Amino acid sequence: MLADCAAPPAEFNFAGHLLALNAGRAAKTAYIDDRGCMTYGELDEKVRRAASALLDLDLRPEDRVLLLMNDCTDWPVSFLGALYAGIVPVAVNTLLTPADYAYMLEHSRARAVLASRSLLPKVSSALATSRHRVRHIVASRDESGTPLGGALDFDDWLAAHEPMAAPADTLADEPAFWLYSSGSTGKPKGAVHTHANPYWTAELYAKRVLGMRESDTVFSAAKLFFAYGLGNALSFPLSVGASVVLMAGRPTPEACFERLTRLRPTIFCGAPTGYAGMLASPALPAREDVALRLCSSAGEALPQEIGERFTAHFGCEIIDGIGSTEMLHIFISNRVGDVRYGTTGKPVEGYEVELRGEDGKPVGVGEIGDLYIRGPSAALMYWNNREKSRETFQGAWTKSGDKYSRDADGYYTYAGRSDDMLKVSGQYVSPFEVEATLVQHPAVLEAAVIGVTDDDGLTKTKAYVVLKPGQPAGDALDAELKAFVKARLAPHKYPRQIEFVSDLPKTATGKIQRFRLRERESAKASQEVHA
C-alpha cells in the first residue's frame, strides 16, 4: 500500500527533515501568533539555537523534557529544537491540574520543563508535590506578567547559544516525542512516537487527503499538544511550506471568527463541538468575509446536520475523519468532493482497517465491530504500561477502542467508544447514534448519552442535553425530545430520562467524558441509598 510513497531513510531526524525542506523559504512567513510573525528563516535559526541550548542544560539524547506551553511560536521552536538535539519532548495539555503535571513529571522523569509564564504557578505546585526533581525550567514570555522566579527566560536562553550545525544522529524508528492520551476514558497514557511517524501522517493525510499546499494558510482550533493539532499546525504545513496561525487562548467562536476574517486562513481545523458553537453564534461571519477552501474535523464524529449546515453557509466542505493519539493522526476520512456527512468516510491510503466482533472475526456489512488499524504511524508503546500496550498494540494492528460499522459502499460510521456501548433490551445501543439524533432537534446544542440502571436492575438510556441560548427546558421539551428520537430510531434506543444541563464534561480536545457522567450517576445513587 506504500509502494508509491518513499519511506524515510533509516537514519532520520524529523526536525532536520523539515528544516531542510524549507531551506529555500527563508523569507516566507511560517507562523503568525498573538505576538507577531516568524519566517521560515527565523524558525530554522531558533530551532537550532534551542537544540544547542537544551544540550547546554546537561541534557543528553533520549532525555525527556516536559513541554507545557500555550500555542505560540515558542512551541514549535521548543518541540523541533528538542527533536533536532535528539531529546524527547513530552507535550502535555495546558488545562490540567498541578496533580496531573506531578504525575506526568514522575511518569516521564522529565529533566527539564519548557513552560509558558502563565503556567509557572502550576509547575511550581506540581514540583512541590512530585517526588521527581526537575533540573531546569525555561519560561516562554506571554501577557501574564508572571514573575520568572528561578526560571530562565526563553528568549534570553536562546540568544545565548549558537545554532547547532547539524541534527542529532537519530533513527527513523527511534523514540522522538511523547503525547499523552486525552483521558476520555480515565488516566492518561504516554504514547511514544518515532521520528518517522509524523513524516508518514504528512505524506499520507496532509498531502493526499487534505491536499495541503504551499499557498495555504492553516488555522487549527485544536492545540499543538493534541495529536490532531500537532499535525494540523506543525508537521503538515511545515511539510509543504504553508503558513500557520496560532492562538494562545481558548478557541471560542468569537476568537476563531476574528482570525478567520482578519488573517483569512484557507484551511481551518476544528472539532464537532467547535463547529456547533460557531453555527449557534450570532457573530457567525458571512461567506464572503472568510477565505476558507477546506475544513477538517476530528476528536469525535461530526453530526450530519452540523456538516450540512456549515457547508450551506460557508460553501466549503468539512472533511471529517477519525484519528487517535496512538496512531498520531487520521486514518479514516472523508475526501474532498466525496463527503458523505454522517459517516467518517473510507480508510486513508496507507492504512488498513478491520472491524472485528467479540469472537475476533471480521463482522459483516452493516454490523458493529471493534475498530483495528494497521499503518506506519502507530506509536511504539505506552511508556511503563506493559498491560495496556499489549492490549492496544497487537502485532502490526492497533486496537482503537472505537466501535464502527461499514456500509455496502465502504463508508465507515461511528458507533461510539467500546466502553461507552450500552446493551438495552438485549440489543446494543450506540450513545453517539442517540446523541447525533438529539442534536438534529432545533433546540439542542449538545447531548451526551449514558446507561443508567432502573429500579428493576435493567439498563436504560439517559441523555444529558445542553440547549441553545433562549431555549426553555421543561417537561414539554422533555416529552418532545423523546418523541423526536422515537420517530427516528428503534424504540429501545430513545432516552428514558433527559436531564438538561448547562455544559458537558469534556477533555481539552473537546471529547465528551461520558465516564464523568457515569461517576455522577453512581454518586447520586449512593446518596439515595444512604438517605
Side-chain angles (χ1 to χ4, degrees), residues 102-160:
Y103 163 75
M104 291 172 176
L105 284 166
E106 292 182 9
H107 184 244
S108 68
R109 296 177 184 170
R111 299 186 69 210
V113 177
L114 306 180
S116 293
R117 279 201 184 188
S118 60
L119 297 171
L120 287 178
K122 286 188 176 184
V123 174
S124 297
S125 296
L127 290 172
T129 59
S130 172
R131 295 171 296 176
H132 178 67
R133 290 293 167 257
V134 167
R135 298 177 58 126
H136 304 281
I137 300 172
V138 183
S140 168
R141 296 179 187 180
D142 55 29
E143 302 302 318
S144 68
T146 304
L148 278 173
L152 300 169
D153 177 79
F154 189 88
D155 291 347
D156 294 342
W157 177 64
L158 286 192

Short mmCIF file of all heavy atoms in Angstrom, two decimals, residues 102-160:
data_model
loop_
_atom_site.label_atom_id
_atom_site.label_comp_id
_atom_site.label_asym_id
_atom_site.label_seq_id
_atom_site.Cartn_x
_atom_site.Cartn_y
_atom_site.Cartn_z
N ALA A 102 2.21 16.73 38.18
CA ALA A 102 3.09 15.99 39.08
C ALA A 102 3.18 14.53 38.63
O ALA A 102 4.27 13.94 38.61
CB ALA A 102 2.57 16.09 40.51
N TYR A 103 2.02 13.97 38.25
CA TYR A 103 2.01 12.59 37.75
C TYR A 103 2.85 12.47 36.48
O TYR A 103 3.66 11.55 36.32
CB TYR A 103 0.57 12.14 37.48
CG TYR A 103 0.48 10.93 36.60
CD1 TYR A 103 0.77 9.66 37.09
CD2 TYR A 103 0.13 11.05 35.25
CE1 TYR A 103 0.70 8.53 36.28
CE2 TYR A 103 0.06 9.94 34.42
CZ TYR A 103 0.35 8.68 34.94
OH TYR A 103 0.30 7.58 34.12
N MET A 104 2.68 13.40 35.55
CA MET A 104 3.38 13.33 34.27
C MET A 104 4.89 13.54 34.45
O MET A 104 5.69 12.92 33.74
CB MET A 104 2.79 14.35 33.30
CG MET A 104 1.39 13.99 32.85
SD MET A 104 0.61 15.30 31.88
CE MET A 104 -0.93 14.48 31.41
N LEU A 105 5.27 14.40 35.37
CA LEU A 105 6.70 14.59 35.64
C LEU A 105 7.32 13.31 36.19
O LEU A 105 8.42 12.91 35.78
CB LEU A 105 6.89 15.74 36.64
CG LEU A 105 6.71 17.15 36.08
CD1 LEU A 105 6.59 18.16 37.21
CD2 LEU A 105 7.87 17.51 35.15
N GLU A 106 6.62 12.67 37.11
CA GLU A 106 7.14 11.43 37.69
C GLU A 106 7.14 10.30 36.66
O GLU A 106 8.08 9.51 36.57
CB GLU A 106 6.30 11.03 38.90
CG GLU A 106 6.47 11.98 40.09
CD GLU A 106 5.67 11.54 41.30
OE1 GLU A 106 5.13 10.41 41.27
OE2 GLU A 106 5.59 12.31 42.27
N HIS A 107 6.06 10.23 35.88
CA HIS A 107 5.91 9.17 34.90
C HIS A 107 6.96 9.28 33.79
O HIS A 107 7.55 8.28 33.37
CB HIS A 107 4.50 9.22 34.30
CG HIS A 107 4.20 8.11 33.36
ND1 HIS A 107 3.93 8.33 32.03
CD2 HIS A 107 4.12 6.77 33.53
CE1 HIS A 107 3.70 7.18 31.42
NE2 HIS A 107 3.79 6.21 32.31
N SER A 108 7.20 10.50 33.31
CA SER A 108 8.14 10.71 32.20
C SER A 108 9.57 10.88 32.68
O SER A 108 10.51 10.74 31.89
CB SER A 108 7.74 11.94 31.40
OG SER A 108 7.92 13.12 32.16
N ARG A 109 9.74 11.23 33.96
CA ARG A 109 11.07 11.56 34.52
C ARG A 109 11.75 12.65 33.70
O ARG A 109 12.95 12.61 33.43
CB ARG A 109 11.94 10.31 34.59
CG ARG A 109 11.39 9.26 35.55
CD ARG A 109 12.22 8.00 35.56
NE ARG A 109 11.59 6.98 36.43
CZ ARG A 109 11.98 5.71 36.48
NH1 ARG A 109 12.98 5.30 35.73
NH2 ARG A 109 11.38 4.86 37.29
N ALA A 110 10.96 13.64 33.33
CA ALA A 110 11.49 14.77 32.57
C ALA A 110 12.56 15.49 33.38
O ALA A 110 12.39 15.73 34.58
CB ALA A 110 10.36 15.73 32.21
N ARG A 111 13.63 15.89 32.72
CA ARG A 111 14.74 16.54 33.41
C ARG A 111 14.68 18.06 33.28
O ARG A 111 15.46 18.77 33.91
CB ARG A 111 16.07 16.03 32.86
CG ARG A 111 16.25 14.52 33.06
CD ARG A 111 17.64 14.07 32.64
NE ARG A 111 18.66 14.57 33.56
CZ ARG A 111 19.92 14.85 33.19
NH1 ARG A 111 20.28 14.69 31.93
NH2 ARG A 111 20.79 15.30 34.07
N ALA A 112 13.75 18.55 32.45
CA ALA A 112 13.56 20.00 32.31
C ALA A 112 12.11 20.25 31.92
O ALA A 112 11.41 19.36 31.43
CB ALA A 112 14.51 20.58 31.26
N VAL A 113 11.66 21.48 32.16
CA VAL A 113 10.31 21.90 31.78
C VAL A 113 10.42 23.17 30.94
O VAL A 113 11.10 24.12 31.33
CB VAL A 113 9.44 22.18 33.02
CG1 VAL A 113 8.06 22.68 32.61
CG2 VAL A 113 9.30 20.94 33.89
N LEU A 114 9.76 23.17 29.81
CA LEU A 114 9.62 24.36 28.98
C LEU A 114 8.15 24.78 29.08
O LEU A 114 7.27 24.03 28.64
CB LEU A 114 9.99 24.08 27.52
CG LEU A 114 11.37 23.46 27.27
CD1 LEU A 114 11.58 23.23 25.78
CD2 LEU A 114 12.46 24.33 27.84
N ALA A 115 7.88 25.95 29.67
CA ALA A 115 6.50 26.31 30.00
C ALA A 115 6.22 27.77 29.69
O ALA A 115 7.13 28.61 29.65
CB ALA A 115 6.25 26.05 31.48
N SER A 116 4.96 28.09 29.46
CA SER A 116 4.52 29.47 29.37
C SER A 116 4.59 30.11 30.76
O SER A 116 4.35 29.44 31.78
CB SER A 116 3.08 29.55 28.85
OG SER A 116 3.00 29.11 27.51
N ARG A 117 4.90 31.40 30.80
CA ARG A 117 4.99 32.07 32.11
C ARG A 117 3.71 31.94 32.92
O ARG A 117 3.75 31.76 34.13
CB ARG A 117 5.33 33.56 31.91
CG ARG A 117 6.79 33.83 31.67
CD ARG A 117 7.11 35.27 32.00
NE ARG A 117 8.50 35.57 31.68
CZ ARG A 117 9.10 36.70 32.00
NH1 ARG A 117 8.44 37.65 32.64
NH2 ARG A 117 10.37 36.90 31.68
N SER A 118 2.57 32.06 32.24
CA SER A 118 1.29 32.00 32.96
C SER A 118 1.07 30.65 33.62
O SER A 118 0.25 30.53 34.53
CB SER A 118 0.14 32.30 31.99
OG SER A 118 0.11 31.35 30.94
N LEU A 119 1.80 29.63 33.17
CA LEU A 119 1.63 28.28 33.72
C LEU A 119 2.68 27.94 34.78
O LEU A 119 2.65 26.85 35.34
CB LEU A 119 1.68 27.25 32.59
CG LEU A 119 0.56 27.39 31.55
CD1 LEU A 119 0.82 26.48 30.35
CD2 LEU A 119 -0.79 27.08 32.16
N LEU A 120 3.58 28.87 35.07
CA LEU A 120 4.62 28.61 36.06
C LEU A 120 4.06 28.29 37.45
O LEU A 120 4.61 27.41 38.14
CB LEU A 120 5.59 29.79 36.15
CG LEU A 120 6.55 29.96 34.98
CD1 LEU A 120 7.42 31.20 35.18
CD2 LEU A 120 7.43 28.72 34.80
N PRO A 121 2.98 28.95 37.91
CA PRO A 121 2.44 28.58 39.22
C PRO A 121 2.00 27.11 39.29
O PRO A 121 2.20 26.45 40.31
CB PRO A 121 1.24 29.53 39.39
CG PRO A 121 1.61 30.73 38.58
CD PRO A 121 2.33 30.17 37.38
N LYS A 122 1.44 26.60 38.20
CA LYS A 122 1.06 25.19 38.18
C LYS A 122 2.29 24.29 38.21
O LYS A 122 2.29 23.24 38.86
CB LYS A 122 0.21 24.88 36.93
CG LYS A 122 -1.21 25.40 36.99
CD LYS A 122 -2.02 24.88 35.81
CE LYS A 122 -3.47 25.30 35.89
NZ LYS A 122 -4.28 24.73 34.79
N VAL A 123 3.33 24.70 37.50
CA VAL A 123 4.58 23.93 37.51
C VAL A 123 5.15 23.88 38.92
O VAL A 123 5.56 22.82 39.40
CB VAL A 123 5.59 24.53 36.52
CG1 VAL A 123 6.94 23.82 36.64
CG2 VAL A 123 5.08 24.44 35.09
N SER A 124 5.16 25.04 39.58
CA SER A 124 5.68 25.10 40.95
C SER A 124 4.89 24.21 41.88
O SER A 124 5.46 23.48 42.71
CB SER A 124 5.67 26.55 41.46
OG SER A 124 6.51 27.36 40.69
N SER A 125 3.56 24.25 41.78
CA SER A 125 2.71 23.41 42.63
C SER A 125 2.96 21.93 42.35
O SER A 125 3.00 21.11 43.27
CB SER A 125 1.24 23.74 42.41
OG SER A 125 0.95 25.07 42.79
N ALA A 126 3.13 21.59 41.06
CA ALA A 126 3.39 20.20 40.70
C ALA A 126 4.72 19.72 41.27
O ALA A 126 4.82 18.62 41.83
CB ALA A 126 3.37 20.05 39.18
N LEU A 127 5.73 20.56 41.17
CA LEU A 127 7.05 20.18 41.67
C LEU A 127 7.07 20.05 43.18
O LEU A 127 7.82 19.25 43.74
CB LEU A 127 8.09 21.21 41.22
CG LEU A 127 8.40 21.22 39.72
CD1 LEU A 127 9.30 22.40 39.36
CD2 LEU A 127 9.06 19.91 39.31
N ALA A 128 6.20 20.83 43.84
CA ALA A 128 6.16 20.78 45.31
C ALA A 128 5.63 19.45 45.82
O ALA A 128 5.95 19.03 46.94
CB ALA A 128 5.31 21.93 45.84
N THR A 129 4.81 18.79 45.01
CA THR A 129 4.21 17.51 45.45
C THR A 129 4.82 16.31 44.74
O THR A 129 4.53 15.18 45.11
CB THR A 129 2.69 17.52 45.17
OG1 THR A 129 2.45 17.71 43.77
CG2 THR A 129 2.00 18.64 45.95
N SER A 130 5.66 16.55 43.74
CA SER A 130 6.25 15.45 42.97
C SER A 130 7.50 14.93 43.65
O SER A 130 8.30 15.69 44.21
CB SER A 130 6.58 15.93 41.55
OG SER A 130 7.31 14.95 40.85
N ARG A 131 7.69 13.64 43.57
CA ARG A 131 8.93 13.03 44.09
C ARG A 131 10.08 13.22 43.10
O ARG A 131 11.24 13.08 43.47
CB ARG A 131 8.70 11.53 44.32
CG ARG A 131 7.70 11.22 45.41
CD ARG A 131 7.38 9.73 45.44
NE ARG A 131 6.74 9.31 44.19
CZ ARG A 131 6.44 8.04 43.92
NH1 ARG A 131 6.73 7.09 44.77
NH2 ARG A 131 5.87 7.73 42.76
N HIS A 132 9.72 13.52 41.86
CA HIS A 132 10.74 13.69 40.83
C HIS A 132 11.26 15.12 40.84
O HIS A 132 10.49 16.07 40.98
CB HIS A 132 10.13 13.38 39.46
CG HIS A 132 11.09 13.57 38.33
ND1 HIS A 132 12.20 12.79 38.15
CD2 HIS A 132 11.11 14.49 37.32
CE1 HIS A 132 12.85 13.18 37.07
NE2 HIS A 132 12.21 14.21 36.56
N ARG A 133 12.54 15.28 40.69
CA ARG A 133 13.15 16.60 40.72
C ARG A 133 13.60 17.02 39.32
O ARG A 133 14.38 16.31 38.67
CB ARG A 133 14.35 16.62 41.68
CG ARG A 133 13.93 16.52 43.13
CD ARG A 133 13.18 17.79 43.58
NE ARG A 133 12.51 17.59 44.86
CZ ARG A 133 11.22 17.37 45.01
NH1 ARG A 133 10.44 17.30 43.94
NH2 ARG A 133 10.67 17.24 46.20
N VAL A 134 13.10 18.17 38.88
CA VAL A 134 13.46 18.73 37.59
C VAL A 134 14.66 19.66 37.77
O VAL A 134 14.71 20.44 38.72
CB VAL A 134 12.26 19.52 37.00
CG1 VAL A 134 12.70 20.37 35.82
CG2 VAL A 134 11.16 18.55 36.58
N ARG A 135 15.59 19.59 36.86
CA ARG A 135 16.83 20.36 36.99
C ARG A 135 16.68 21.80 36.49
O ARG A 135 17.30 22.72 37.04
CB ARG A 135 17.96 19.67 36.22
CG ARG A 135 18.30 18.29 36.72
CD ARG A 135 19.36 17.64 35.86
NE ARG A 135 20.56 18.46 35.84
CZ ARG A 135 21.77 18.00 36.15
NH1 ARG A 135 21.94 16.76 36.51
NH2 ARG A 135 22.82 18.79 36.10
N HIS A 136 15.87 22.01 35.44
CA HIS A 136 15.79 23.34 34.83
C HIS A 136 14.36 23.64 34.39
O HIS A 136 13.63 22.75 33.93
CB HIS A 136 16.70 23.43 33.60
CG HIS A 136 18.13 23.10 33.88
ND1 HIS A 136 19.00 23.99 34.47
CD2 HIS A 136 18.84 21.97 33.64
CE1 HIS A 136 20.19 23.42 34.59
NE2 HIS A 136 20.13 22.20 34.10
N ILE A 137 13.98 24.92 34.48
CA ILE A 137 12.70 25.41 33.97
C ILE A 137 12.99 26.61 33.07
O ILE A 137 13.73 27.53 33.47
CB ILE A 137 11.74 25.83 35.09
CG1 ILE A 137 11.45 24.65 36.02
CG2 ILE A 137 10.43 26.37 34.51
CD1 ILE A 137 10.66 25.03 37.26
N VAL A 138 12.45 26.58 31.86
CA VAL A 138 12.60 27.69 30.92
C VAL A 138 11.20 28.22 30.63
O VAL A 138 10.29 27.45 30.31
CB VAL A 138 13.28 27.24 29.62
CG1 VAL A 138 13.49 28.43 28.69
CG2 VAL A 138 14.63 26.56 29.92
N ALA A 139 11.02 29.54 30.74
CA ALA A 139 9.69 30.15 30.63
C ALA A 139 9.56 30.99 29.38
O ALA A 139 10.35 31.91 29.13
CB ALA A 139 9.40 30.99 31.86
N SER A 140 8.53 30.70 28.60
CA SER A 140 8.20 31.46 27.40
C SER A 140 7.41 32.71 27.80
O SER A 140 6.52 32.65 28.66
CB SER A 140 7.36 30.58 26.47
OG SER A 140 6.77 31.34 25.43
N ARG A 141 7.70 33.82 27.18
CA ARG A 141 7.02 35.08 27.51
C ARG A 141 5.57 35.05 27.03
O ARG A 141 5.25 34.53 25.96
CB ARG A 141 7.74 36.26 26.87
CG ARG A 141 9.15 36.46 27.41
CD ARG A 141 9.85 37.64 26.75
NE ARG A 141 11.25 37.71 27.16
CZ ARG A 141 12.11 38.63 26.73
NH1 ARG A 141 11.71 39.55 25.88
NH2 ARG A 141 13.37 38.62 27.15
N ASP A 142 4.69 35.64 27.85
CA ASP A 142 3.31 35.86 27.45
C ASP A 142 2.82 37.14 28.11
O ASP A 142 3.62 37.89 28.69
CB ASP A 142 2.41 34.65 27.78
CG ASP A 142 2.48 34.25 29.26
OD1 ASP A 142 2.72 35.12 30.11
OD2 ASP A 142 2.28 33.06 29.56
N GLU A 143 1.53 37.39 28.05
CA GLU A 143 0.99 38.65 28.57
C GLU A 143 0.64 38.58 30.05
O GLU A 143 0.09 39.52 30.60
CB GLU A 143 -0.27 39.03 27.77
CG GLU A 143 -0.05 39.18 26.27
CD GLU A 143 1.00 40.22 25.94
OE1 GLU A 143 1.00 41.29 26.57
OE2 GLU A 143 1.84 39.94 25.06
N SER A 144 0.96 37.47 30.71
CA SER A 144 0.52 37.29 32.09
C SER A 144 1.28 38.13 33.11
O SER A 144 0.76 38.47 34.16
CB SER A 144 0.65 35.81 32.48
OG SER A 144 2.02 35.44 32.55
N GLY A 145 2.53 38.46 32.81
CA GLY A 145 3.33 39.19 33.77
C GLY A 145 3.77 38.35 34.96
O GLY A 145 4.24 38.89 35.97
N THR A 146 3.61 37.04 34.87
CA THR A 146 4.01 36.15 35.96
C THR A 146 5.53 36.24 36.17
O THR A 146 6.29 36.15 35.21
CB THR A 146 3.63 34.69 35.61
OG1 THR A 146 2.24 34.63 35.33
CG2 THR A 146 3.97 33.76 36.77
N PRO A 147 5.97 36.43 37.42
CA PRO A 147 7.41 36.50 37.66
C PRO A 147 8.12 35.22 37.26
O PRO A 147 7.56 34.12 37.34
CB PRO A 147 7.49 36.72 39.19
CG PRO A 147 6.15 37.25 39.58
CD PRO A 147 5.17 36.62 38.64
N LEU A 148 9.35 35.36 36.82
CA LEU A 148 10.13 34.20 36.41
C LEU A 148 10.50 33.29 37.57
O LEU A 148 10.64 32.08 37.40
CB LEU A 148 11.43 34.66 35.72
CG LEU A 148 11.34 35.04 34.25
CD1 LEU A 148 12.66 35.64 33.79
CD2 LEU A 148 10.98 33.84 33.40
N GLY A 149 10.67 33.87 38.77
CA GLY A 149 11.15 33.06 39.87
C GLY A 149 12.55 32.58 39.54
O GLY A 149 13.43 33.34 39.15
N GLY A 150 12.76 31.30 39.61
CA GLY A 150 14.07 30.75 39.28
C GLY A 150 14.17 30.25 37.86
O GLY A 150 15.18 29.63 37.49
N ALA A 151 13.15 30.51 37.03
CA ALA A 151 13.14 30.01 35.66
C ALA A 151 14.00 30.88 34.75
O ALA A 151 14.21 32.08 35.00
CB ALA A 151 11.72 29.96 35.12
N LEU A 152 14.50 30.29 33.68
CA LEU A 152 15.23 31.02 32.66
C LEU A 152 14.24 31.65 31.68
O LEU A 152 13.20 31.07 31.37
CB LEU A 152 16.15 30.06 31.90
CG LEU A 152 17.22 29.32 32.70
CD1 LEU A 152 17.85 28.23 31.84
CD2 LEU A 152 18.28 30.30 33.18
N ASP A 153 14.56 32.84 31.20
CA ASP A 153 13.73 33.47 30.18
C ASP A 153 14.02 32.82 28.82
O ASP A 153 15.18 32.72 28.40
CB ASP A 153 14.01 34.97 30.11
CG ASP A 153 13.22 35.64 29.01
OD1 ASP A 153 12.04 35.90 29.20
OD2 ASP A 153 13.81 35.87 27.92
N PHE A 154 12.99 32.38 28.13
CA PHE A 154 13.14 31.63 26.88
C PHE A 154 13.94 32.41 25.83
O PHE A 154 14.88 31.88 25.21
CB PHE A 154 11.76 31.27 26.34
CG PHE A 154 11.77 30.33 25.17
CD1 PHE A 154 11.78 28.96 25.36
CD2 PHE A 154 11.78 30.80 23.86
CE1 PHE A 154 11.81 28.08 24.28
CE2 PHE A 154 11.80 29.94 22.78
CZ PHE A 154 11.81 28.57 23.00
N ASP A 155 13.58 33.70 25.62
CA ASP A 155 14.24 34.48 24.59
C ASP A 155 15.72 34.69 24.90
O ASP A 155 16.58 34.56 24.02
CB ASP A 155 13.54 35.83 24.44
CG ASP A 155 12.14 35.72 23.84
OD1 ASP A 155 11.81 34.64 23.32
OD2 ASP A 155 11.39 36.71 23.90
N ASP A 156 16.02 35.02 26.17
CA ASP A 156 17.42 35.22 26.56
C ASP A 156 18.20 33.91 26.46
O ASP A 156 19.37 33.90 26.08
CB ASP A 156 17.49 35.75 27.99
CG ASP A 156 16.89 37.15 28.12
OD1 ASP A 156 16.75 37.84 27.08
OD2 ASP A 156 16.56 37.55 29.25
N TRP A 157 17.56 32.83 26.83
CA TRP A 157 18.17 31.49 26.79
C TRP A 157 18.58 31.13 25.36
O TRP A 157 19.69 30.65 25.11
CB TRP A 157 17.17 30.51 27.37
CG TRP A 157 17.52 29.07 27.40
CD1 TRP A 157 18.53 28.47 28.09
CD2 TRP A 157 16.82 28.03 26.72
NE1 TRP A 157 18.50 27.11 27.89
CE2 TRP A 157 17.45 26.81 27.06
CE3 TRP A 157 15.70 27.98 25.89
CZ2 TRP A 157 17.01 25.58 26.58
CZ3 TRP A 157 15.26 26.78 25.41
CH2 TRP A 157 15.91 25.58 25.75
N LEU A 158 17.68 31.39 24.41
CA LEU A 158 18.02 31.10 23.00
C LEU A 158 19.16 31.99 22.52
O LEU A 158 20.10 31.52 21.87
CB LEU A 158 16.80 31.33 22.10
CG LEU A 158 15.66 30.33 22.11
CD1 LEU A 158 14.72 30.63 20.94
CD2 LEU A 158 16.14 28.91 22.04
N ALA A 159 19.05 33.29 22.83
CA ALA A 159 20.02 34.25 22.32
C ALA A 159 21.44 33.96 22.79
O ALA A 159 22.42 34.34 22.13
CB ALA A 159 19.62 35.66 22.73
N ALA A 160 21.56 33.27 23.92
CA ALA A 160 22.88 32.99 24.50
C ALA A 160 23.57 31.80 23.85
O ALA A 160 24.70 31.46 24.25
CB ALA A 160 22.73 32.76 26.00
#
